[in-house]
Amino acid sequence: MAFINLNNVTYKYPLTKTPALQNINLQVNEGEFVAIVGPNGAGKSTLCYTLAGFVPHFFKGEISGTVEVAGIDSSKSTLDKWVLNVGLAFQNPFNQISGAKYTVFEEIAFGLENTGVPRDEMKPRVEEAMKLTDISNLADRSPYSLSGGQQQRVALTSILVMRPKLLVLDEPTSQMDPIGTREVFGVIRKMAEGGMTVVMVEHKMEWIANFADRVVALKDGQVLMEGKPNEVLTSELLVENGFGVSRYTSTAREAKKQGLWKKEKLPVTLDEAVEGFKK
Amino acid sequence: MHERLSFFVKRDSALHPLNPLTKIVLALGIILVSIFSPWYWTSHVLLLVVIVPLVFIGKVATEYFTSALRLILPAAGFIFFMQAFFQPIGQTVIFNFWFLDITQESLLFAFRIATRITVMISAFTLFLLTTHPSELMSDLTRRGLPPQFAYVIISTLQILPQMQAKAQTIIAAQRSRGLDTESTFFKRIGSVVPLVSPLVFGSLVEVEERAIAIEARGFTSKKAKTSLYEISDRSSDKFIRWGLVIFVIISIVLKLWLS
């Protein structure tokens, strides 16, 4: 039995005509790192919200099919219980700061306070999570005085401290510079290696190729393709459907037409490209 | 851009470690006594004998007197002049301007009202200067205040400066597209819409995201909430609170008895 089990899920936001998700079938095993790619309006965020329980519990609307995480059916659970198993972090770090706390340390403890974690347990857990994301030095700063990258790591830490079984990330690095991106991916990889199941929406193909176990390509609310990162990210189908691809993939594709790329497989990352052009 | 997000100043004083509720009761007690006391001089005594010494005990004198100059004096002064001019009492005219008379009685009355206002604002300033907002809210939540209510108060305090900053950005952006914000009054009124609407709609979108973010962190969890910091509530706190309640009751009784 898979850890995440989406069975024929179709969902429509209130007051809209077309469904945001159509007949989604997705199985993810425990400890797997799955990346979701797709153009704007493909339903990536909606899928994240569905996994995190906000669809349908927060957004309402019509849902059919079944959503199961860790053996619990979403429709039979409530949001406040669901969030104990599933953590969600999204794009804009600024809006993820609760606004109720004056220091980063308090901000990270917010989720623990809400869920009734005893005080003696709280402090070591916050410290441990901050060490993991390497933000211990920010503990006494105001969350609003931080840079975007730092805020995003605080937001991520605030979720990790709650020890979710599944981590859902909706473009957490979209507003970050390369250094911030590397830091966030570093944290996520650590979590994945520690056995946490991760589902992540991301546009940075090279990073996905380096980190993810599997890639799911969404288009118009449907699963277009899924498989190993290298297979999916270099597929012609993605180009035909207007997906962004890595610059190394498009370079090598052009080179292949000119007879300069000899290998069968196209590259996604710089290393693969260098390797392939050497031959 | 980063401004101070609350009045609170961290000091090591005798006032700071008091329970937040004690400090609210102290502020409210001072205010109620000054309102209910039958004698006009009570407010003056409270100001000089209670508030000013407390300001020094709390080690927030610099901050208090700065805010007194910037906030309390203008407010009290304004009320003083309004009352002095427009209070239609008394016969002894001291000063006359057009149809406005200042009488001895209205002057006294204005002085009393202005002092009372000073006492009120001072008491609250003292409270805000010595109480950390999150401590206050976790203490009140522990005592049964709905956490949603506490959240609204405290996040507003934090988010207002952020919104101010955003409004500045929007103003700059619209001006760079030629919006007139500096000429005649009517033109400026006209430019309110393109300034306010992005701010309001933007904030609405943000509210939804923030709701999701705090929900993801178990905000509506039905488990009893815990608090990161232990907030002390010693027996001396209870003693002070009940003492203040008794003072307020005495002044109400005196007021009823003497009038």
Side-chain angles (χ1 to χ4, degrees):
Chain A
M1 183 69 186
F3 184 69
I4 302 176
N5 210 339
L6 298 191
N7 227 325
N8 245 337
V9 174
T10 299
Y11 172 75
K12 227 161 65 176
Y13 281 103
L15 309 175
T16 54
K17 290 210 177 77
T18 45
L21 296 177
Q22 284 182 58
N23 301 318
I24 300 274
N25 285 297
L26 181 66
Q27 273 75 38
V28 178
N29 293 318
E30 191 157 11
E32 215 178 346
F33 188 152
V34 175
I36 296 169
V37 296
N40 286 335
K44 305 184 297 289
S45 294
T46 310
L47 184 58
C48 286
Y49 287 142
T50 310
L51 292 172
F54 288 88
V55 162
H57 294 299
F58 181 86
F59 288 100
K60 312 299 175 196
E62 295 165 36
I63 192 164
S64 63
T66 52
V67 178
E68 264 179 30
V69 175
I72 308 167
D73 188 335
S74 167
S75 64
K76 295 192 180 84
S77 182
T78 55
L79 192 50
D80 65 292
K81 291 199 188 98
W82 195 260
V83 297
L84 297 177
N85 276 336
V86 185
L88 170 72
F90 45 88
Q91 270 188 40
N92 187 341
F94 179 75
N95 289 341
Q96 295 178 76
I97 303 294
S98 73
K101 299 293 170 185
Y102 284 80
T103 67
V104 168
F105 197 94
E106 294 169 10
E107 174 71 25
I108 294 166
F110 182 67
L112 301 181
E113 292 180 321
N114 286 335
T115 48
V117 173
R119 185 177 300 130
D120 337 327
E121 206 181 304
M122 218 182 271
K123 236 182 132 189
R125 268 175 78 167
V126 173
E127 275 161 5
E128 187 200 318
M130 285 176 48
K131 208 172 280 170
L132 196 70
T133 53
D134 199 19
I135 55 167
S136 306
N137 55 326
L138 304 176
D140 295 323
R141 300 265 302 272
S142 158
Y144 283 110
S145 68
L146 306 177
S147 73
Q150 290 171 326
Q151 274 183 347
Q152 187 61 275
R153 272 188 292 160
V154 170
L156 198 55
T157 316
S158 310
I159 290 299
L160 293 178
V161 78
M162 298 175 71
R163 296 181 182 159
K165 291 181 187 145
L166 165 63
L167 184 61
V168 181
L169 301 157
D170 189 358
E171 298 188 45
T173 66
S174 66
Q175 304 195 355
M176 271 181 214
D177 57 17
I179 295 168
T181 306
R182 195 194 306 149
E183 285 167 351
V184 168
F185 266 100
V187 173
I188 296 165
R189 165 129 88 181
K190 250 191 252 173
M191 300 316 297
E193 281 167 358
M196 194 180 274
T197 314
V198 180
V199 174
M200 179 183 202
V201 172
E202 185 56 64
H203 287 301
K204 292 168 180 150
M205 303 298 174
E206 298 134 68
W207 286 103
I208 297 177
N210 276 327
F211 287 91
D213 299 321
R214 187 146 58 103
V215 176
V216 177
L218 282 187
K219 171 100 199 285
D220 299 327
Q222 287 168 309
V223 177
L224 184 72
M225 206 184 164
E226 70 175 297
K228 290 264 168 239
N230 193 281
E231 278 168 36
V232 177
L233 299 177
T234 57
S235 147
E236 287 290 333
L237 200 60
L238 251 57
V239 184
E240 286 159 21
N241 281 285
F243 283 58
V245 292
S246 136
R247 66 183 106 166
Y248 307 113
T249 314
S250 41
T251 309
R253 187 170 280 133
E254 282 306 307
K256 200 174 183 180
K257 282 181 198 158
Q258 313 279 331
L260 296 169
W261 182 266
K262 307 276 177 348
K263 279 174 88 176
E264 179 60 34
K265 269 171 120 185
L266 291 171
V268 183
T269 62
L270 176 63
D271 288 348
E272 287 170 353
V274 170
E275 188 77 7
F277 276 116
K278 268 186 189 161
K279 287 183 183 167
Chain B
M1 186 215 101
H2 184 59
E3 294 169 52
R4 208 152 55 114
L5 296 174
S6 72
F7 282 96
F8 176 72
V9 275
K10 200 173 173 177
R11 292 284 148 79
D12 185 21
S13 84
L15 225 50
H16 283 72
L18 284 182
N19 184 276
L21 186 69
T22 311
K23 284 181 267 188
I24 302 187
V25 173
L26 179 65
L28 286 177
I30 292 174
I31 291 170
L32 290 176
V33 169
S34 101
I35 290 175
F36 287 118
S37 156
W39 304 294
Y40 71 89
W41 43 263
T42 313
S43 301
H44 309 85
V45 171
L46 280 174
L47 189 61
L48 293 176
V49 180
V50 180
I51 292 177
V52 171
L54 279 178
V55 163
F56 283 101
I57 292 171
K59 296 184 183 164
V60 287
T62 329
E63 290 80 9
Y64 170 77
F65 288 112
T66 326
S67 62
L69 276 178
R70 281 164 53 181
L71 177 77
I72 306 174
L73 268 188
F78 176 75
I79 287 178
F80 178 78
F81 282 108
M82 294 304 279
Q83 294 292 340
F85 275 111
F86 294 105
Q87 199 51 243
I89 51 166
Q91 264 75 54
T92 346
V93 177
I94 297 177
F95 178 78
N96 175 279
F97 172 74
W98 199 13
F99 66 94
L100 299 168
D101 293 334
I102 294 188
T103 64
Q104 202 176 346
E105 288 82 353
S106 72
L107 208 57
L108 267 178
F109 185 81
F111 188 57
R112 281 171 59 186
I113 295 288
T115 318
R116 197 174 282 173
I117 296 287
T118 311
V119 167
M120 284 177 177
I121 308 179
S122 297
F124 256 101
T125 312
L126 182 63
F127 159 67
L128 291 175
L129 284 172
T130 56
T131 313
H132 195 288
S134 49
E135 239 175 55
L136 169 70
M137 285 306 156
S138 26
D139 191 51
L140 292 184
T141 315
R142 193 172 58 96
R143 292 177 198 275
L145 182 82
Q148 284 85 347
F149 186 78
Y151 178 79
V152 167
I153 303 269
I154 205 151
S155 64
T156 310
L157 285 178
Q158 289 234 64
I159 288 160
L160 272 182
Q162 313 297 326
M163 278 191 73
Q164 250 170 10
K166 203 158 73 182
Q168 288 305 321
T169 314
I170 293 171
I171 290 174
Q174 300 290 47
R175 278 177 61 183
S176 73
R177 294 173 195 155
L179 187 78
D180 190 354
T181 57
E182 280 173 342
S183 68
T184 64
F185 179 73
F186 288 104
K187 278 204 177 139
R188 277 199 248 178
I189 295 284
S191 36
V192 165
V193 178
L195 293 181
V196 169
S197 43
L199 187 63
V200 171
F201 289 119
S203 302
L204 287 178
V205 173
E206 271 181 23
V207 165
E208 185 177 71
E209 281 205 347
R210 186 162 282 124
I212 292 172
I214 63 169
E215 192 83 58
R217 287 157 72 188
F219 187 66
T220 52
S221 168
K222 284 166 192 79
K223 290 183 188 165
K225 292 196 190 324
T226 46
S227 159
L228 178 62
Y229 300 120
E230 191 166 9
I231 296 155
S232 69
D233 194 9
R234 290 164 296 188
S235 44
S236 55
D237 277 299
K238 291 193 185 85
F239 178 76
I240 296 174
R241 289 202 292 265
W242 285 112
L244 285 157
V245 169
I246 291 169
F247 265 114
V248 171
I249 292 173
I250 290 176
S251 57
I252 294 175
V253 169
L254 278 176
K255 171 88 175 173
L256 292 173
W257 190 32
L258 291 176
S259 61

